[in-house]
Amino acid sequence: MTFKDRLPTGSHFRSALLMDLELAEERLDLEDAHGDDDLDEAPTGPRPEGYTLDTYMLMAIIDALHGVQATIIAAAGADPPAVRPLPRPVSAVEIVREERRATSMQTLIDLFTAPPIPDTPAELVDEADADEEEEDSSWWQ
């Protein structure tokens, strides 16, 4: 991470970057070239460096107000909106923990599901050849 990336969110530098029309056009051109709307591969969620106890308390109040708003809407007989809490900072440990959980769940799902069916006859032949090579090399070991 470079020094400029550690500047506060409300700094003049970051404000200038957000308001730069040429940079915005270049970013949109790059997004169009890649065909996706999000080029950032960083973890989702805000970073933890600006969050204090006050910030967490304000976020809890806002989340509670969203819940009260949904309750009032539901009491009036309308369909209430989904209450989603504000995003909290995510640490590297939490990111790795979630990746491991997802990998573990996918392994468990793969254990109880059938293997994928090949789409073409060529894939069937390739798989049969690979199986024969494994059998041929393992008989003498």
Side-chain angles (χ1 to χ4, degrees):
M1 180 182 334
T2 61
F3 176 74
K4 68 175 179 57
D5 294 331
R6 295 187 338 212
L7 290 172
T9 305
S11 69
H12 291 287
F13 176 76
R14 290 200 183 220
S15 177
L17 284 179
L18 291 173
M19 296 306 295
D20 188 355
L21 294 177
E22 291 177 17
L23 187 60
E25 288 177 10
E26 288 179 18
R27 180 169 176 98
L28 290 177
D29 290 342
L30 190 59
E31 286 178 1
D32 291 341
H34 284 98
D36 54 357
D37 295 331
D38 187 22
L39 295 177
D40 297 331
E41 295 182 13
T44 59
R47 295 166 41 152
E49 69 257 3
Y51 289 83
T52 62
L53 180 59
D54 297 337
T55 307
Y56 283 111
M57 297 303 290
L58 288 171
M59 292 171 81
I61 291 170
I62 291 170
D63 291 342
L65 286 174
H66 286 171
V68 169
Q69 180 184 20
T71 303
I72 291 171
I73 292 172
D79 190 24
V83 178
R84 293 187 193 103
L86 293 175
R88 304 301 200 260
V90 180
S91 70
V93 171
E94 292 168 341
I95 293 169
V96 172
R97 183 177 290 132
E98 178 60 26
E99 288 175 357
R100 287 181 179 178
R101 188 195 68 75
T103 302
S104 174
M105 293 302 294
Q106 187 59 48
T107 303
L108 186 62
I109 290 169
D110 292 343
L111 185 64
F112 290 104
T113 57
I117 299 172
D119 294 331
T120 62
E123 290 179 5
L124 284 171
V125 172
D126 292 341
E127 286 180 12
D129 291 342
D131 290 341
E132 288 176 9
E133 290 176 9
E134 288 178 10
E135 290 174 7
D136 291 342
S137 64
S138 63
W139 67 270
W140 57 271
Q141 292 178 348

